[in-house]
Amino acid sequence: MMTATNQERDQEVDAFFTILGHALVEGDSLTVATLYETPALLLADAGVQAIARREEVERFFAGSRAQYTDRGVTSTRADVEEREWLGERVVLVRVRWPYHDSSGREVGNERSTYALRRDDEGALRIRAVLAHNE
């Protein structure tokens, strides 16, 4: 089996977060859920949430489009600030999500660090999300 170059792995991470950002704003909770591998963990100042099943992820993100719309957000993109590969299967990724309104103006943002792990089929999946306070 041929090992991917660092550039290829980084491009794969970027593509992963492009899909995630689009799915979040569009309210496509099914796609968001497929990007997770369970069990997973969400860690923030507000608390810790263990995620046992993909259906929990889907339910959690089912209302995301309405939340974005209520805040005037029509698009976002993942600004990947840092990637740290811990091995062949695990990467920590710090992402800034700028929120844009319909005129393209930034109306907010958030940052998170994601622990992605390559599943047994070779696809990257979210295993942990650490929300940053801004």
Side-chain angles (χ1 to χ4, degrees), residues 12-34:
E12 182 182 9
V13 167
D14 293 347
F16 178 93
F17 283 103
T18 296
I19 293 166
L20 177 60
H22 181 73
L24 287 170
V25 171
E26 291 300 314
D28 185 354
S29 59
L30 180 59
T31 295
V32 173
T34 64

Side-chain angles (χ1 to χ4, degrees), residues 35-123:
L35 298 174
Y36 277 75
E37 185 175 29
T38 55
L41 186 68
L42 173 60
L43 177 63
D45 271 354
V48 178
Q49 181 175 351
I51 304 164
R53 299 179 40 219
R54 245 186 214 164
E55 294 80 11
E56 293 173 43
V57 177
E58 191 174 351
R59 279 193 305 273
F60 182 82
F61 287 102
S64 66
R65 183 176 184 134
Q67 291 173 7
Y68 286 118
T69 300
D70 289 348
R71 293 169 36 198
V73 176
T74 59
S75 68
T76 190
R77 69 175 183 282
D79 290 340
V80 175
E81 297 179 325
E82 184 178 353
R83 298 172 200 85
E84 181 181 358
W85 286 91
L86 304 180
E88 289 299 313
R89 294 179 75 171
V90 177
V91 60
L92 297 178
V93 186
R94 182 181 166 113
V95 177
R96 178 179 181 270
W97 297 99
Y99 298 137
H100 297 101
D101 65 13
S102 60
S103 66
R105 187 174 51 102
E106 188 171 317
V107 293
N109 72 82
E110 68 180 58
R111 277 188 174 82
S112 295
T113 297
Y114 297 82
L116 305 182
R117 183 175 181 276
R118 201 172 291 289
D119 66 17
D120 292 339
E121 285 75 42

